[in-house]
Amino acid sequence: LEAQCKLLISMGKPTGLLPLAARCSMKVGDLVRFVNTKTDYPQYASKFGLLVEEREVGRWIVSVNGKLHPFLVFYTCLEVVNASR
């Protein structure tokens, strides 16, 4: 599923076309880890974050070390470590 999502993103498809399961798997309050940090977020290579708000479909505000990340983080750059459910 993740590979399918990345393919759609690389093709420039709108986020609304991403598979529903991928978009719905993350919820506010989930503990997440940054993935692909070598290219996307090298400053967060060993960091965890907390999902604060989904501003746009698949794009999250993430709190890292008690501070909000200054940009929206796309869900393919995050992996749920501990769900808040």
Side-chain angles (χ1 to χ4, degrees):
L1 183 61
E2 183 178 336
Q4 184 183 20
C5 293
K6 287 182 180 181
L7 177 63
L8 286 171
I9 294 163
S10 70
M11 294 169 52
K13 300 290 184 187
T15 56
L17 295 178
L18 296 175
L20 184 60
R23 292 182 302 168
C24 296
S25 63
M26 295 181 172
K27 305 283 185 207
V28 171
D30 285 354
L31 180 66
V32 294
R33 179 176 69 91
F34 285 82
V35 295
N36 300 326
T37 53
K38 289 181 182 176
T39 56
D40 295 327
Y41 299 99
Q43 69 274 32
Y44 296 125
S46 62
K47 305 286 184 187
F48 293 91
L50 187 67
L51 296 181
V52 176
E53 177 185 353
E54 187 176 22
R55 278 275 168 91
E56 298 174 15
V57 175
R59 295 184 177 151
W60 288 89
I61 294 178
V62 181
S63 174
V64 181
N65 288 335
K67 297 180 182 178
L68 296 181
H69 183 274
F71 303 103
L72 296 178
V73 180
F74 203 68
Y75 78 97
T76 57
C77 298
L78 301 168
E79 175 182 65
V80 175
V81 175
N82 189 11
S84 64
R85 303 172 257 315

